[in-house]
Amino acid sequence: IAKVIGTIISLAGVLIMTLYKGPVMRNLWHPLIHIPGKSAAINEDWLKGSILTVSSCVTWSLWYIMQVFTLTQS
């Protein structure tokens, strides 16, 4: 039960952090490589990034649950 609750809490935290549109964070140092014209592409893939982050969290949690399930079967 604790693992399921922990998974739900982690998933809620990931959703909040990926879907929250806060202020833009600025880098204090200049990048080592500057690619002109690519600055707009960073903000366009926020949906894909949030889906990948949530799926990563879910699969990582399922991996732990599967490991415990296989250990208890032997």
Side-chain angles (χ1 to χ4, degrees):
I1 294 174
K3 288 183 184 184
V4 173
I5 293 172
T7 302
I8 292 170
I9 290 173
S10 296
L11 188 61
V14 166
L15 283 172
I16 289 171
M17 290 189 65
T18 56
L19 297 178
Y20 174 71
K21 289 280 198 170
V24 175
M25 296 178 63
R26 299 185 186 265
N27 192 358
L28 297 177
W29 300 277
H30 296 291
L32 296 175
I33 299 173
H34 179 69
I35 302 173
K38 293 289 185 179
S39 61
I42 295 173
N43 294 330
E44 293 176 0
D45 292 333
W46 67 271
L47 182 63
K48 186 176 19 174
S50 61
I51 290 171
L52 288 173
T53 305
V54 169
S55 63
S56 171
C57 179
V58 169
T59 54
W60 192 253
S61 301
L62 288 174
W63 174 251
Y64 279 133
I65 293 170
M66 285 174 30
Q67 283 182 339
V68 169
F69 181 73
T70 58
L71 287 176
T72 57
Q73 294 295 324
S74 54

